Amino acid sequence: MSEIDKLRDRMDRITFDILRLLKERNDTAKEIGNLKSNLGLGVTNEERENQLRRKVVDLCSEIGLDEKSGLTTLNFLLNESIKIQSTNKPTHMSVFLKAKDMERQGKKIIHMEVGEPDFFPPEIVKTSLSEVYDMGYTKYGDPRGMEGFRQSIASHVAKNFAAKTDPQNIIVTPGARFSIFLAISTLLSPGNEIIVIEPAWPAYRDNALNCGIKVRTIHTSLEKGWEPSVDEIENTINQNTKMLVLNYPNNPTGKILPKKLLDDIMEIAMRKNIHVLSDEIYSSYAFRDWRSVLSYEYEKAIVTQSFSKSHAMTGFRIGYSISSKDTADKMARLQSLALTNVSEPIQYVAMKALEADTTGNTQKIRSRLRILVEKSKAMGLEFIEPDGAMYVFARFGRPQMDTIEFTNKLLDYGVAIAPGDGFGNYQGFVRISACQPEETLNQGMKIIEEVMRREI
Ligand code: PMP
């Protein structure tokens, strides 16, 4: 056997050994997953992962392996375990699926689980929809979005977010969700890390997992006013960390960070040179001082915006991102690959929608939230009054209560709310949404109170 064949033979054996060990590791992860499920524990345990991370760093130095390679491989293994352990857990999705099923059978459900305004888009949307055909918006277009629309967005941003931007920094996407997908997919690579402050809308985590990126969770609590610890964020950042996600006003808590705290977090991100993905889709529902991350003029910030909530245009699938030109170009390349361009008729309609005054929507959600707040207080729920967004995120104050079970039961009484588990490790919490008329919300809250009294 030649020297190279011998080495190749050895290489094969090492590869097979790694695969055998991977199988053993996956089986063990499954066993741990079953135990966690029985004990009602969440899948990810940051403390435990950190212990392992430290041991891996020590091992790397002991055996002379580059630390970055060691930690990147560990991230791959940790994500494998998360995928394995996530499958045997009943999730918040079971509640939504059950609600749909019941509606198909003709049962009436009060929807207080959705983040979708029940009211109509501005009137100008209707008229512009009837104009697009004659205006000739019928062809392929620029993957970044129509120049005129991006110009209008730039003016809108200058007026509403007190930030200077330029059409070359903007790309139009089919909703903020797709901007988030584009940003995570183009700026991060498998084995990289992303920091998500929980509770959080699940798409950040799911997008990261989809790309083989490790999510590092910063847990925040009701007791600490949903404010993340600056030290914890700083200590979580390592050489694999590429992005921090912010979402204020927050879904589900409605929190807006105090200026000083946001300043401190941005200072860390800038010093550590990591991307900041700021999902600002609820900015038109900010009921106290709020500032866009754009105001920091940070080259590595990406802000996502949408017409879904501000203009009640969820079904139109239209939003945009603002970033450096370099990032916008990268995101546009992936958008071009995935869908050529966003439908121009819809872009035209959204451009016209920017002319509408949406303060009525803001007032409507604000007064509905007030109702939810009053009722939740009267029911003895534990929560912090939202500073913005469209939700109350509350705890029932019964530590042993299984919220997935409760929300499932509540459905039998005709009310859908979202269990806290969908937003991270928040058993015992529920998200109640203000996306129904006041009378319906009152009715829904009354039923929740009755079921609470009867069932827990
Ligand atoms: N970001 C957040 C925080 C959300 O809550 C949602 C919708 N629930 C989205 C983005 C999705 O927005 P879009 O409809 O523009 O994709």
Side-chain angles (χ1 to χ4, degrees), residues 230-248:
V230 175
D231 287 343
E232 199 181 333
I233 294 177
E234 175 139 26
N235 294 336
T236 301
I237 297 173
N238 63 35
Q239 40 189 329
N240 275 323
T241 315
K242 296 291 182 247
M243 184 179 273
L244 164 71
V245 181
L246 300 177
N247 167 227
Y248 300 102

Side-chain angles (χ1 to χ4, degrees), residues 22-23 45 56 62 97 112 170 184 200 240 279 318 417 436:
L22 181 64
K23 167 79 171 81
N45 181 333
V56 166
E62 185 190 319
L97 295 175
M112 290 164 72
I170 295 167
I184 292 177
N240 275 323
D279 184 358
I318 186 108
I417 55 174
Q436 294 294 325

